[in-house]
Each structure stands twice: as C-alpha cells, then as structure tokens.
Amino acid sequence: DIQMTQSPSSLSASVGDRVTITCRASQNINGFVNWYQQKPGKAPELLIYSASALQSGVPSRFRGIGSGTEFTLTITSLQPEDFATYYCQQSFSTLFTFGPGTKVDMK
Amino acid sequence: QVHLQESGPGLVKPSQTLSLTCTVSGGSIRSGNYYWSWIRQPAGKGLEWIGRIFLTGSTLYNPSLKSRVNISLDTSKNQIYLKMTSLTAADTAVYYCARDREQVFLDSWGQGALVTVSS
C-alpha cells in the first residue's frame, strides 16, 4: 500500500491568513494527489485533483502543487467557511489511500 | 448534477452482514467512464477506501477488507450495493458512496449512512 502522511495534524489560523498543508507519499506517485475538504457532519468535497487542478466551483484561493512524494495545499486567504478538515488522497495506485487529515480551526 | 444517496440499516448485530444501497439520480450509472466507490469513516477518524465497481461489473477491493466485501450494481435501478460480512464493532462508521472518475478522483459523494455494529 502507498502510505500518505499529512502535516500538521491540526493548525489554528485567523481569517485572512495564508495556510499551507503538506502531504507526503511513501513512494513516488508523480502528480496523482487529490485534496478534499470535510466539514463536521458532512461528506468530503473534492477541491483539487491531479495535484494542481481546481475542481469546478472551488474558489481560486485554494491552490495545490507538488509531484513525486511531496505535495502542498495552500489557502491563500482563509475565509470563515474554510474552517474544516482537509485530506489528501493518492490515485497513483488504483487502491486509493488517504492521508490522516489536517484540521484547520479558528485561532 | 448527479446526486448520490446511501440507505440501509443503521444498526447491525456483530457477526451479521451489512447491506447498503447507493441510489444515483441526475445521471445514469451506465453513462460516462465512471466507476463507483465506497468509502467509510469511523467517528472522529479518517477515510478508508473500501472498493469500487465499474458498469461492466468489474470490481477492485481494499486488500484489508477484500475477504468480507462485495460490491455490485443494478443499472436498471441506477443503484450500487455494498455487502460486508462478519461485522464487528470496528466496522462502526459512516459509509459513503462516491462517483469515481476513471479511478483518479472522487468528485461526487453521498451524504453518508451511519452504521453501528452493536448487540
């Protein structure tokens, strides 16, 4: 299995802050990483696919970059609706695996 | 826009079999190059991919669950099914179905169905 790790596991931030989350894969997965946002009691929603492509309808303040084993999700200016948990997921292998999540809460 | 809705029993006894249904509306599961995945999430924990099915009936399962899981579909009903046998408390989770774009990403999710395994 390809293992995915995320850092930090949680962070506190304020509206307007720039937030960066890192995801690392246990092997080279090229650009096969997706990012999801999950709010309490809700299903995850796709934000970014293939490392850097913005899903339709997702605000441009969400940016993804990376290749190989290290990937980042950046929120350029945190908005109130962005407080949530973020997961990365690899699709290099057809056996999907997810990172453990990063919870972004209010400072 | 496609909509997915999971349904099934909220409570299942240990050692019994879980059966969940994912009903798709707003689009046919026969159209497009879509797969259909199941994912679960224990309370307060992360996401675990269970497996997927293609409209041909071809399936792929998480090796850790493969011996207990079966995914099937009925194109006439636009439904996807999950069966999981020999349940234990560790299977207590919210179970999601999702549209799987060419085994690359999950772009539409159901709201989830909470399944509790308890006697």
Side-chain angles (χ1 to χ4, degrees):
Chain A
D1 287 10
I2 299 174
Q3 306 301 316
M4 306 297 285
T5 59
Q6 288 181 234
S7 60
S9 57
S10 65
L11 65 91
S12 298
S14 301
V15 172
D17 284 354
R18 183 182 183 92
V19 169
T20 297
I21 299 167
T22 299
C23 175
R24 290 184 175 86
S26 59
Q27 67 180 69
N28 184 350
I29 58 170
N30 295 330
F32 288 95
V33 155
N34 310 309
W35 291 93
Y36 301 85
Q37 176 193 68
Q38 186 178 34
K39 296 179 181 178
K42 301 293 187 182
E45 293 186 359
L46 179 68
L47 296 175
I48 301 280
Y49 61 93
S50 299
S52 60
L54 198 65
Q55 171 69 347
S56 176
V58 174
S60 59
R61 62 181 180 274
F62 291 94
R63 297 181 184 174
I65 194 168
S67 66
T69 62
E70 187 162 323
F71 303 85
T72 59
L73 172 69
T74 297
I75 309 171
T76 57
S77 178
L78 194 70
Q79 298 302 298
E81 60 269 29
D82 301 337
F83 292 102
T85 300
Y86 294 85
Y87 294 94
C88 62
Q89 172 244 321
Q90 67 79 23
S91 57
F92 179 82
S93 164
T94 52
L95 301 175
F96 287 176
T97 49
F98 293 86
T102 296
K103 184 177 182 180
V104 177
D105 61 22
M106 194 176 301
K107 185 182 288 183
Chain B
Q1 182 166 346
V2 72
H3 178 76
L4 293 79
Q5 178 74 58
E6 304 87 350
S7 59
L11 180 65
V12 182
K13 288 182 167 45
S15 80
Q16 291 193 339
T17 296
L18 169 66
S19 294
L20 290 176
T21 299
C22 174
T23 301
V24 179
S25 57
S28 171
I29 65 174
R30 284 175 286 191
S31 65
N33 200 26
Y34 298 129
Y35 294 72
W36 303 91
S37 276
W38 287 93
I39 304 98
R40 70 179 182 177
Q41 184 175 37
K45 297 190 177 181
L47 299 161
E48 180 179 33
W49 181 77
I50 298 170
R52 69 166 64 83
I53 189 166
F54 190 55
L55 64 86
T56 59
S58 172
T59 54
L60 184 66
Y61 300 120
N62 186 325
S64 69
L65 298 169
K66 184 177 181 179
S67 64
R68 300 195 293 128
V69 169
N70 182 266
I71 298 175
S72 59
L73 55 76
D74 185 331
T75 55
S76 68
K77 295 182 178 179
N78 231 31
Q79 292 178 328
I80 302 102
Y81 309 104
L82 172 69
K83 284 194 188 305
M84 184 179 291
T85 62
S86 305
L87 292 180
T88 71
D91 296 311
T92 294
V94 175
Y95 286 74
Y96 296 101
C97 59
R99 189 173 72 175
D100 183 344
R101 294 287 297 270
E102 302 187 11
Q103 305 183 89
V104 176
F105 54 84
L106 303 165
D107 67 347
S108 293
W109 295 61
Q111 66 183 29
L114 175 61
V115 174
T116 301
V117 181
S118 175
S119 54

